[in-house]
Amino acid sequence: MAPLKHLEMENPIIDACFRDFCSSHGILTVEDFLLHNLYELAAFAERQANADRLKEGITVMLSLIEVKCRPWLNGMELLEDLQRNKHTLSSGDKGTDSLLQGGFREGQLTELVGPSSSGKTQFCMQAAASVAEKQEGSVFYVDTGNSFSARRIAQFICGSSDAAGLRKKVLSRISCHTVYDIYTMFDTLQGLEVALRSQMQMNMNEYRLRLLVVDSVSSLITPILGGSGSQGTCP
């Protein structure tokens, strides 16, 4: 959280006198201010010679926080907001979608864990195929173990009167990038960020990115930690 001093330029009331008063109560940042008992702080301000100015500073702080931060919501309001504003992406598996109450939430991180050969990669490819087919969005797939299979992706795609054409469209929406160390992955993700920012500036929404898959992070971290696993290294 930002120190209170950073607020003074646009809000002169948050001056050295107000900050000194706050610091005497252990308040140095906006976070400290939020965590403090404001009724107690106001009561202390009332006893000071410059009480009116200190109370005005407290009021300004509350107004700034209200403008810049989302209001507090109770559990029911959070649920309603989730259902109304957070879109879901089907994983391609009905059981998993039911468990996740509709599927993956856009803008949120979902971590899949399990022992080796438990089907994690198959699940990732199924999810990629599902999003590319049903959501008509692009998928960015980071493959760290050389296990991505376009043939397996094609098998997950639902049949239709033009099955070959559908498979071609779906596969064209999935971009696979093979990396063998964590530094290359960072470079790849940074390149993705630059590309996405460029698309936003050019207002390019066709087949926008809907899903980012990293299969898997652990195989890149294990060699750094001194593990003996061969996953994540170039064969």
Side-chain angles (χ1 to χ4, degrees):
M1 285 284 187
L4 297 184
K5 183 175 177 61
H6 291 179
L7 304 175
E8 182 179 2
M9 184 175 295
E10 296 180 0
N11 306 275
I13 193 69
I14 314 296
D15 57 10
C17 180
F18 179 80
R19 295 198 306 275
D20 288 343
F21 169 73
C22 288
S23 65
S24 68
H25 295 276
I27 301 173
L28 302 176
T29 67
V30 176
E31 183 179 16
D32 294 336
F33 183 85
L34 286 170
L35 295 175
H36 200 81
N37 186 324
L38 298 183
Y39 292 104
E40 181 181 292
L41 189 66
F44 277 111
E46 190 72 43
R47 304 171 193 168
Q48 307 304 311
N50 56 343
D52 290 342
R53 186 169 180 81
L54 292 176
K55 288 191 292 184
E56 183 183 354
I58 294 173
T59 302
V60 169
M61 284 288 298
L62 290 172
S63 298
L64 289 172
I65 292 168
E66 184 176 0
V67 170
K68 295 181 179 295
C69 301
R70 291 188 59 186
W72 289 5
L73 303 175
N74 60 36
M76 184 57 68
E77 289 171 332
L78 286 171
L79 178 60
E80 291 174 354
D81 177 68
L82 180 67
Q83 295 173 336
R84 182 172 59 251
N85 299 318
K86 304 298 189 298
H87 300 293
T88 58
L89 304 173
S90 173
S91 66
D93 179 78
K94 292 182 178 179
T96 302
D97 286 348
S98 177
L99 181 66
L100 297 176
Q101 297 184 348
F104 303 122
R105 302 288 176 181
E106 281 194 301
Q108 294 186 5
L109 172 68
T110 302
E111 183 177 7
L112 181 67
V113 297
S116 179
S117 301
S118 60
K120 298 186 298 296
T121 294
Q122 296 297 312
F123 182 85
C124 288
M125 290 191 288
Q126 183 178 24
S130 175
V131 171
E133 177 184 0
K134 299 174 183 176
Q135 304 294 333
E136 296 189 350
S138 66
V139 176
F140 195 92
Y141 199 109
V142 179
D143 177 20
T144 69
N146 200 28
S147 55
F148 181 85
S149 170
R151 180 176 298 178
R152 189 72 181 104
I153 290 279
Q155 293 175 350
F156 286 120
I157 300 171
C158 298
S160 67
S161 55
D162 184 18
L166 178 61
R167 283 196 292 269
K168 184 176 180 179
K169 285 183 179 179
V170 171
L171 288 170
S172 69
R173 297 170 187 160
I174 302 175
S175 175
C176 180
H177 300 261
T178 302
V179 300
Y180 294 114
D181 62 76
I182 198 165
Y183 307 106
T184 304
M185 185 183 76
F186 286 153
D187 290 340
T188 300
L189 295 179
Q190 185 175 24
L192 172 63
E193 181 182 11
V194 171
L196 291 176
R197 290 184 183 277
S198 177
Q199 290 178 10
M200 290 177 62
Q201 293 174 356
M202 298 175 65
N203 199 27
M204 297 171 59
N205 292 321
E206 185 178 12
Y207 300 138
R208 69 183 181 89
L209 182 66
R210 305 297 295 272
L211 181 67
L212 167 64
V213 178
V214 179
D215 179 26
S216 66
V217 173
S218 61
S219 62
L220 299 182
I221 296 177
T222 299
I224 297 177
L225 298 180
S228 58
S230 60
Q231 286 186 331
T233 58
C234 185

